[in-house]
Amino acid sequence: MEDALYMQRCIELARSGKHTAAPNPLVGCVITYQNNIIGEGWHHKAGDAHAEVNAIRSVKEKALLKKASLYVSLEPCAHYGSTPPCADLIVSHKLKRVVIGCQDPFSKVNGAGIARLNAAGIETETGILENECLALNKHFFTFHKKKRPYIALKWAQTLDGFFDAPRKAGEKGSRWISGPQAKTFVHNLRAEHTAILIGSRTAIHDNPQLTTRLVKGPSPLRLLLDRENKVPVNSKLFQDGAPTVLFTSKPRTLPRAVSQVLVKRSPLTEILDYCREQNKLSLLVEGGAHLHQHFIHAGLWDEAFVLIGPKEFKEGIPAPQIPGTASKQYMLGADLLLNYTNA
């Protein structure tokens, strides 16, 4: 019971780095002595000290470490990266016991940290709140296990199942289906992902910014799939000065902030390879309907968020069809949010 309580605190601490830690995992650490917390730490950002280091530094009476227990949400690292191995630091302070939430699948760790602690005679226990600790770093684990970013789909649809209504010639602008609470939810969702993708039709008709301007948190890297160069050069994605990556078969002259990737193979393959090469752990796909359906048909999705607004269009572009049933559902004002997980 006490182990679970302290591991829950590790998870809470780890979440403090949700907007800054990537491409590193979220990790929290707690040190206890005689059932009292004497040290805490979490990983702030890549290149900075790890959670275990920060927790050990926070302990005022270092002599207590030899009698203390260290709790950490992810297996301590056992390799040299930007910082020395945390497993070595723990061994050097001769902690009595180490409790680990889940093993690290990263190839340079993957059990090596636990093995090093055991070799030093330190009592270890793993799997405390394991499912919660795995969920905490679902982006990181997917990236390293599947060699691609964690892929989340997000769209809004009407009660009668339409993604968008028919448009007259030259008509532009967003057709809002969902309300203000849903919009805030979407901006928070963007802040949790390191890249965001739309297709040319969404860029042309909605002219979106794809930022997190309604909430605190970093905006994801904007990716645009426009193989035929249909998106006007005066679009916000090209002209607001923020980085955008254009995936196209026909490169053209664009502002300096826009990078271009020549599509020679399957566009989805090119996009996912680019995300892997750039250490983008997660990709949020926001539109359009055909782009979503391509990801669904290919089985390239991990989670989907479907907002169902109270409007009806009667006709238009049908919403994407996703297999299975929602694992969770919530009300966001007048909108229903369905959350799917790819089994």
Side-chain angles (χ1 to χ4, degrees):
M1 185 66 178
E2 290 172 354
D3 284 352
L5 181 67
Y6 294 132
M7 190 59 66
Q8 184 60 50
R9 177 58 182 161
C10 289
I11 293 171
E12 292 171 0
L13 290 166
R15 290 195 180 110
S16 301
K18 67 179 181 179
H19 292 151
T20 57
N24 285 2
L26 302 175
V27 186
C29 181
V30 168
I31 300 173
T32 68
Y33 172 68
Q34 294 184 347
N35 292 327
N36 290 309
I37 293 177
I38 61 171
E40 290 186 338
W42 51 279
H43 182 49
H44 294 233
K45 65 178 181 179
D48 282 4
H50 289 189
E52 300 94 320
V53 176
N54 288 329
I56 289 172
R57 285 176 180 171
S58 74
V59 176
K60 294 180 179 179
E61 296 184 48
K62 296 293 191 290
L64 295 178
L65 289 171
K66 293 180 180 180
K67 304 175 183 178
S69 295
L70 182 145
Y71 294 80
V72 62
S73 55
L74 184 67
E75 176 185 4
C77 63
H79 66 289
Y80 280 88
S82 299
T83 60
C86 290
D88 287 356
L89 179 67
I90 294 169
V91 169
S92 70
H93 284 284
K94 300 179 181 179
L95 276 102
K96 181 180 178 182
R97 180 172 179 252
V98 175
V99 181
I100 299 164
C102 63
Q103 189 169 316
D104 189 341
F106 183 52
S107 59
K108 293 182 179 180
V109 186
N110 199 21
I114 296 171
R116 192 165 299 182
L117 297 176
N118 289 336
I122 296 175
E123 177 189 349
T124 61
E125 186 169 353
T126 59
I128 304 301
L129 297 188
E130 184 174 27
N131 289 337
E132 291 87 342
C133 291
L134 289 170
L136 178 69
N137 279 303
K138 58 188 179 183
H139 296 176
F140 179 81
F141 294 146
T142 298
F143 186 85
H144 287 285
K145 287 180 178 179
K146 298 186 177 182
K147 310 303 179 185
R148 65 160 175 81
Y150 184 94
I151 302 169
L153 311 179
K154 190 285 301 178
W155 72 83
Q157 65 184 62
T158 60
L159 279 174
D160 52 352
F162 289 102
F163 187 89
D164 196 3
R167 292 176 182 264
K168 299 176 182 178
E171 181 185 356
K172 294 182 181 179
S174 299
R175 288 256 179 86
W176 292 108
I177 295 173
S178 49
Q181 288 179 257
K183 193 173 181 180
T184 300
F185 167 80
V186 170
H187 282 234
N188 275 309
L189 196 61
R190 289 174 182 174
E192 293 174 4
H193 291 78
T194 49
I196 186 169
L197 171 69
I198 62 169
S200 57
R201 188 181 189 280
T202 300
I204 292 168
H205 291 303
D206 295 351
N207 195 18
Q209 292 175 264
L210 304 181
T211 63
T212 56
R213 58 196 178 277
L214 296 182
V215 300
K216 290 183 178 181
S219 293
L221 177 65
R222 304 179 305 191
L223 310 181
L224 170 62
L225 176 59
D226 181 20
R227 298 186 69 175
E228 301 301 321
N229 281 339
K230 296 178 181 179
V231 179
V233 71
N234 62 353
S235 295
K236 293 176 183 176
L237 292 179
F238 295 154
Q239 296 296 335
D240 65 4
T244 297
V245 181
L246 171 65
F247 292 83
T248 181
S249 300
K250 302 174 181 179
R252 53 176 162 157
T253 302
L254 289 168
R256 188 174 298 178
V258 182
S259 304
Q260 300 185 63
V261 176
L262 182 63
V263 176
K264 299 179 180 178
R265 303 171 291 160
S266 158
L268 299 193
T269 300
E270 298 275 10
I271 291 165
L272 298 184
D273 283 352
Y274 178 86
C275 288
R276 187 180 69 250
E277 291 164 5
Q278 298 298 318
N279 274 331
K280 299 301 177 184
L281 300 189
S282 57
L283 175 65
L284 178 62
V285 182
E286 280 211 14
H290 296 299
L291 184 58
H292 277 114
Q293 205 64 63
H294 283 311
F295 276 94
I296 293 169
H297 282 324
L300 288 170
W301 66 283
D302 299 288
E303 194 170 10
F305 300 91
V306 181
L307 290 157
I308 301 178
K311 298 180 180 180
E312 292 188 358
F313 284 166
K314 307 298 183 183
E315 59 179 339
I317 298 175
Q321 298 296 307
I322 195 161
T325 57
S327 54
K328 299 175 185 175
Q329 60 181 38
Y330 315 89
M331 292 302 299
L332 295 173
D335 304 306
L336 175 64
L337 172 63
L338 301 180
N339 184 200
Y340 294 82
T341 302
N342 191 351

